[in-house]
Amino acid sequence: MGPVNAPVAAAIDIDHLQVSYGSQQVLHGVSLTVQPGEFIAILGSSGCGKTTLLRTIAGFQKASGGAIRLFGRDVVAMPPEKRGMAMMFQSYALWPHMTVLGNVGYGLRLRGVGKDEIRARVAGVLKMLNLSGLEDRKVTNLSGGQRQRVALGRALAIEPDILLLDEPLSNLDAKVRIQLRSEIKALQNRLGFTAIHVTHDREEAMTMADRIVVMDAGRIAQMGTPKEVFDRPNSPFVASFMGAENTIHLDVRSNSAGVEVQAGPGPSIRWDGEVPVGPVTAYFRDDVASLDAPDARRDGSIVLPGTITQRTYPGGHYRYVVAIGDRHFTVTDDDYHELDRPVGLRLPLASLHLFPSESKGENHA
Amino acid sequence: MTGNLHTLPSASGHTRLRNLRAEAPSASGARFWSFGGTVLKILGLAVFAFLLFGPLANLVLWSVAERWYTPFKLPVSYGTRYWEVVFRPTGDAMSSLMTSVSIACLTVLVALAVSVPAGYALARLKLPWRTALMILFLLPQAFPSVAIYINVARVFYSLGLTGTITGVVLVHAAHGLVYSVWIAAAAFAAVDRDLELAARNIGASPLRTFFTITLPLAMPGIMASAIFVFLESLDEFTGTFFVGVPQVTTLPLLLYNASMGGNYQIASITALILLVPSVLFMIVIERFLKADVLSKVGQ
């Protein structure tokens, strides 16, 4: 997105933010800078502190240390109503005793906007969200997708500089979710607000965000564009969180031209990539593996001999389970193969994420 | 009214039942037994109805009985003379009805003034002595009321509160607080936190949030608690007796005096009047007390 060292103040500048619930520390010094107009996704499994981070930015949760600056203004001690942002909740958090107009117009009413103007501006917001004509409907009579659109409208009606999204799509059907995903993204492009989106859905984060922040146990594990985080995870945790959940152990020895990589008893492969030397664990996604002859030798790839133990046809291609020793890997192939046939599982070294074996990534083996 | 268990409150029910009993022995064989089963069911229902409606029917009878003495199972002569006595604008009954209703309304106001903030605090704040506080409001109900009210009367006497409406309202409010605080706390606890945060988030102050979001959403529960307090106050006898007598005469006190004085007609009419708000409120209260609130009572 925008230039990293822009002269204007960052929309959100979080500096060593710490949060504790009682004696239990939830955020261990999180630092994050978000440029105006940027869409950030905070990705992590439940309990990693991502929702706490968002709620602390919103002011619902007190920080025990660190600073939060919005456009250069420190808000860490400010109550939520003074921070000037808007939030979408997982539970929609629409007020059931009000109509759509009452919900969407609430922020405008607080700001002393006249009745007629509220009606006009709410109509504008609803039109933008394809909800025209629903002003006087009770929010309890709306579908899930419509409710979350109303919640989005309520947040956007006050024209916030910053929009916080707390897993707003996770209660919706898959179809509505994908539709709303692109609607929110399109609105963000059009209106130019800064957004922080908390989610545990990798695909959602990848498709919506300019930058992804992966969190683990109250710390930021990695930040970067979706492509950077996906292609170059910096730790076994991020690698497996981004879908590279298969592991194999390899031996890497340096030689004159580069390195030699050896898998188990098989032949070693010469390679010139940047890899750690010594015993390493390779993390890879199912889709980087392919089938080959069991004794094939390919440049830049390792081939592991094994046998096919299972075959399914999910449509378009066959999916095989290949047993290598006592390990099983899933691989797809266009051709039909018999069960129990010896095959080679070919893994291009460039697509593997290699980390020294001593790391805690062993958990994922 | 006693002795004949099969008497139904209405005259038509009474005769129908008697016809059935007359027919039953004349039938024979299987027909007799199946018919007997039906009769048993009807008898069972009749007993049940009698237990429910018998005392009420007795009240209704007494309220229209001008003369009714011992050997007769039903009143000797009927009339609405006592209704006229009760509803005469200058009568004791009307003035004590007014007293009762105004005391009940004031009690509701006092109880709400305590229970709305207390209920909100109990529901939302992390109070260290939360359970102890909840139980504190239960205390006026937990001990023998006569013992408590004698002492209350003594204290109130030294404060000059005996025989005043204020004194009676305070006693009723203390009595009703357990309902109003517990139900209000449950009503506030049933309001989703995110709904308040959503308002704060887009710029509402805590006070504004309370009055535009929290209070309206908790209102059904608070209305229910107000109704309970109103009914409790209307029916309250012991506290009024010790604190209010002789200057303050509520309907239950009038009823007590009338029945002690042998004036069953006045007592019955008073009881029927007392019954009206209870029945009305019981019909509407079901709309106010939702399951999500009820499940949080006392938590």
Side-chain angles (χ1 to χ4, degrees):
Chain A
M1 193 67 191
V4 177
N5 291 320
V8 290
I12 306 171
D13 183 18
I14 298 165
D15 193 11
H16 282 94
L17 187 68
Q18 292 164 13
V19 174
S20 335
Y21 294 139
S23 61
Q24 195 201 350
Q25 191 159 9
V26 185
L27 293 184
H28 305 268
V30 170
S31 297
L32 172 66
T33 305
V34 184
Q35 299 304 326
E38 205 176 4
F39 198 118
I40 295 275
I42 301 180
L43 188 58
S45 43
S46 57
C48 72
K50 58 188 193 300
T51 295
T52 304
L53 175 60
L54 196 76
R55 291 193 164 227
T56 314
I57 297 171
F60 303 157
Q61 173 68 42
K62 268 199 164 49
S64 54
I68 302 171
R69 283 181 286 271
L70 307 181
F71 298 98
R73 181 175 62 124
D74 193 352
V75 298
V76 88
M78 262 185 208
E81 64 270 20
K82 298 257 161 60
R83 299 193 180 193
M85 31 184 140
M87 180 151 161
M88 280 176 83
F89 295 77
Q90 183 175 6
S91 61
Y92 318 134
L94 293 177
W95 301 304
H97 61 300
M98 295 183 191
T99 59
V100 171
L101 176 68
N103 271 278
V104 178
Y106 185 84
L108 299 174
R109 214 163 67 229
L110 288 175
R111 283 156 181 75
V113 179
K115 257 206 162 80
D116 296 333
E117 198 186 336
I118 290 180
R119 231 192 143 84
R121 281 167 70 173
V122 168
V125 170
L126 293 184
K127 184 155 179 268
M128 196 162 68
L129 297 165
N130 297 320
L131 292 172
S132 287
L134 292 185
E135 277 95 336
D136 297 313
R137 192 81 78 82
K138 275 246 170 200
V139 291
T140 42
N141 295 338
L142 298 175
S143 70
Q146 285 175 322
R147 281 183 204 203
Q148 202 51 292
R149 278 201 189 91
V150 171
L152 178 61
R154 177 177 67 183
L156 294 181
I158 60 167
E159 294 171 3
D161 295 320
I162 298 167
L163 181 67
L164 306 176
L165 303 107
D166 184 9
E167 307 205 28
L169 307 181
S170 59
N171 283 350
L172 301 171
D173 305 342
K175 201 178 147 201
V176 181
R177 188 158 64 219
I178 287 165
Q179 195 181 348
L180 257 175
R181 213 187 255 174
S182 59
E183 279 178 34
I184 293 176
K185 186 66 189 152
L187 280 171
Q188 192 251 345
N189 284 337
R190 198 172 121 199
L191 303 174
F193 53 82
T194 310
I196 298 194
H197 181 190
V198 158
T199 179
H200 60 263
D201 183 331
R202 168 161 49 97
E203 195 191 312
E204 194 174 293
M206 300 277 297
T207 51
M208 291 175 84
D210 303 315
R211 214 146 47 100
I212 288 183
V213 175
V214 183
M215 284 190 67
D216 179 28
R219 290 188 174 83
I220 291 179
Q222 189 173 359
M223 277 193 259
T225 62
K227 191 164 168 52
E228 274 167 14
V229 176
F230 193 75
D231 290 344
R232 292 201 302 279
N234 65 0
S235 67
F237 171 80
V238 177
S240 55
F241 198 83
M242 300 310 284
E245 284 170 315
N246 304 297
T247 57
I248 52 166
H249 295 285
L250 300 173
D251 249 326
V252 180
R253 288 181 301 275
S254 49
N255 73 7
S256 52
V259 291
E260 283 192 28
V261 181
Q262 186 170 23
S268 61
I269 312 291
R270 287 198 309 114
W271 198 43
D272 52 3
E274 287 273 320
V275 291
V277 175
V280 297
T281 307
Y283 292 76
F284 62 94
R285 290 190 306 280
D286 289 343
D287 58 4
V288 306
S290 55
L291 287 182
D292 211 328
D295 52 356
R297 297 201 64 163
R298 310 275 176 190
D299 279 346
S301 291
I302 50 170
V303 178
L304 303 167
T307 49
I308 292 175
T309 60
Q310 201 186 325
R311 179 186 59 235
T312 51
Y313 185 73
H317 51 255
Y318 291 94
R319 183 178 292 154
Y320 297 98
V321 175
V322 175
I324 296 168
D326 57 351
R327 308 283 308 279
H328 295 264
F329 300 95
T330 307
V331 59
T332 57
D333 195 71
D334 290 336
D335 298 324
Y336 178 89
H337 301 291
E338 290 298 337
L339 290 182
D340 296 325
R341 194 191 131 177
V343 289
L345 187 72
R346 175 178 161 188
L347 301 167
L349 282 169
S351 307
L352 302 183
H353 310 304
L354 302 175
F355 300 101
S357 277
E358 290 78 23
S359 74
K360 61 178 180 174
E362 292 290 335
N363 303 341
H364 303 283
Chain B
M1 212 46 204
T2 52
N4 185 357
L5 268 183
H6 311 124
T7 311
L8 274 180
S10 69
S12 65
H14 191 94
T15 46
R16 205 186 315 141
L17 201 70
R18 198 163 276 160
N19 292 343
L20 282 175
R21 275 200 302 164
E23 274 172 37
S26 66
S28 60
R31 192 164 158 264
F32 172 81
W33 285 114
S34 76
F35 195 70
T38 316
V39 170
L40 266 178
K41 274 183 211 156
I42 289 171
L43 283 183
L45 274 177
V47 170
F48 182 70
F50 172 73
L51 289 175
L52 258 182
F53 295 109
L56 287 181
N58 195 25
L59 277 182
V60 173
L61 268 185
W62 263 115
S63 75
V64 291
E66 295 208 340
R67 287 185 307 135
W68 189 1
Y69 32 84
T70 325
F72 297 98
K73 291 247 179 335
L74 286 173
V76 180
S77 64
Y78 296 90
T80 56
R81 188 157 64 83
Y82 288 98
W83 283 92
E84 282 155 30
V85 171
V86 168
F87 281 98
R88 200 158 40 201
T90 53
D92 286 349
M94 282 324 274
S95 78
S96 55
L97 176 67
M98 286 311 295
T99 313
S100 266
V101 169
S102 16
I103 286 177
C105 290
L106 288 170
T107 304
V108 167
L109 287 181
V110 171
L112 284 185
V114 176
S115 68
V116 168
Y120 184 77
L122 285 168
R124 281 290 185 256
L125 309 180
K126 287 191 177 65
L127 299 172
W129 296 90
R130 199 173 170 279
T131 316
L133 281 171
M134 296 287 275
I135 288 173
L136 187 73
F137 290 109
L138 187 64
L139 279 185
Q141 306 265 17
F143 293 107
S145 52
V146 174
I148 287 187
Y149 289 131
I150 285 176
N151 283 293
V152 167
R154 223 179 48 132
V155 174
F156 274 18
Y157 185 77
S158 61
L159 296 173
L161 285 173
T162 40
T164 64
I165 297 276
T166 319
V168 174
V169 166
L170 285 179
V171 165
H172 286 192
H175 184 80
L177 269 184
V178 64
Y179 300 105
S180 59
V181 171
W182 283 40
I183 297 175
F188 283 122
V191 177
D192 184 359
R193 210 65 235 249
D194 279 353
L195 297 179
E196 294 174 346
L197 292 180
R200 295 288 301 279
N201 179 247
I202 55 174
S205 66
L207 207 65
R208 182 104 186 216
T209 304
F210 180 79
F211 282 109
T212 54
I213 308 294
T214 322
L215 193 59
L217 288 173
M219 202 38 105
I222 294 186
M223 286 299 294
S225 82
I227 287 170
F228 270 120
V229 171
F230 187 88
L231 294 181
E232 274 295 306
S233 167
L234 218 54
D235 282 349
E236 215 283 340
F237 175 77
T238 325
T240 324
F241 185 77
F242 283 105
V243 172
V245 163
Q247 289 90 336
V248 181
T249 312
T250 59
L251 270 187
L253 280 179
L254 182 83
L255 194 157
Y256 173 76
N257 288 336
S259 60
M260 286 296 108
N263 193 340
Y264 294 125
Q265 285 86 346
I266 298 289
S268 303
I269 293 169
T270 317
L272 286 175
I273 294 172
L274 274 176
L275 208 64
V276 173
S278 304
V279 171
L280 281 181
F281 280 136
M282 283 304 152
I283 292 169
V284 288
I285 204 158
E286 181 242 9
R287 291 184 34 165
F288 288 123
L289 268 187
K290 306 263 166 58
D292 60 335
V293 171
L294 277 178
S295 67
K296 291 206 160 62
V297 171
Q299 274 183 6

